[in-house]
Amino acid sequence: MARIRSFIGIEIDDGVRVAAETVQNDLARTGAQVKWVEPKNLHLTLVFLGDVHDRQLADLFVAVGQVAKTEPSFSLSVSGIGAFPTSRRPKVVWGGITTGAENLTRIHAALEEPLTALGLYRREDRGYTPHLTLGRVSGEESGALLSPELPKFADWSGGTTPVTQLVVFGSELRRDGPEYTVLGRCPLKGKRRA
């Protein structure tokens, strides 16, 4: 019985991808050791599931599809660069989500209940913060190099991308980084809210 490392996410368009790669290159000039997310792998994670048995995939697709049926398509905008846990001690560098953050938070919350009931997800202690992960910082020294640079990108604009579907991804960890495959797509079919 195979297990597939999985997550539910949102794909971004090429315009946002190019803008993100540009800011990654700008920040790389600091000399900080950062494992930058490859542009082809950039995405927004809604729910990270971890290992899922292949026999659970059908139930997973049904649960995601049920949520997608209730949500309308929308646009999301990526802007401002920040870091977790803070910009002064960066471990994860991200692009912020402005327009569309409310939609993503609502979808995340809607997915939690059915996925928890299926035993595929365990609620996290910290709240969900929509963001586009750009890179993971290696060590405090690199964090110290990046920290003074991040505020310079507070007004950075990464552009807007349409969101028309939820995507179930498989993730295979390889020596040169993760490789993502699309396991399923669930179109957003809900009616727009007034």
Side-chain angles (χ1 to χ4, degrees), residues 37-165:
V37 176
E38 283 189 54
K40 68 177 182 164
N41 285 343
L42 287 166
H43 67 275
L44 265 97
T45 300
L46 283 162
V47 178
F48 179 75
L49 301 170
D51 289 339
V52 173
H53 284 288
D54 55 4
R55 64 177 156 73
Q56 295 174 295
L57 288 177
D59 290 338
L60 171 58
F61 296 147
V62 168
V64 176
Q66 292 295 334
V67 170
K69 275 200 290 196
T70 67
E71 289 293 327
S73 57
F74 62 98
S75 291
L76 67 80
S77 298
V78 183
S79 59
I81 299 297
F84 295 132
T86 69
S87 292
R88 280 183 294 203
R89 289 184 313 120
K91 291 194 180 354
V92 174
V93 178
W94 47 256
I97 306 302
T98 49
T99 307
E102 205 174 278
N103 303 69
L104 294 170
T105 302
R106 186 175 57 245
I107 293 169
H108 170 84
L111 287 166
E112 276 189 323
E113 192 173 319
L115 296 176
T116 302
L118 289 169
L120 297 174
Y121 179 72
R122 203 176 76 229
R123 277 188 174 85
E124 296 184 23
D125 293 336
R126 63 179 186 265
Y128 175 70
T129 304
H131 64 281
L132 180 67
T133 299
L134 299 175
R136 290 178 170 72
V137 183
S138 304
E140 286 182 29
E141 249 179 67
S142 290
L145 288 171
L146 269 182
S147 181
E149 296 302 310
L150 294 176
K152 296 176 185 174
F153 294 89
D155 295 330
W156 171 78
S157 176
T160 300
T161 192
V163 180
T164 60
Q165 58 191 351

Side-chain angles (χ1 to χ4, degrees), residues 7-11 64 165-169 182-186:
F7 64 91
I8 301 160
I10 304 282
E11 293 172 310
V64 176
Q165 58 191 351
L166 306 183
V167 182
V168 179
F169 288 96
V182 173
L183 302 176
R185 298 177 186 276
C186 300

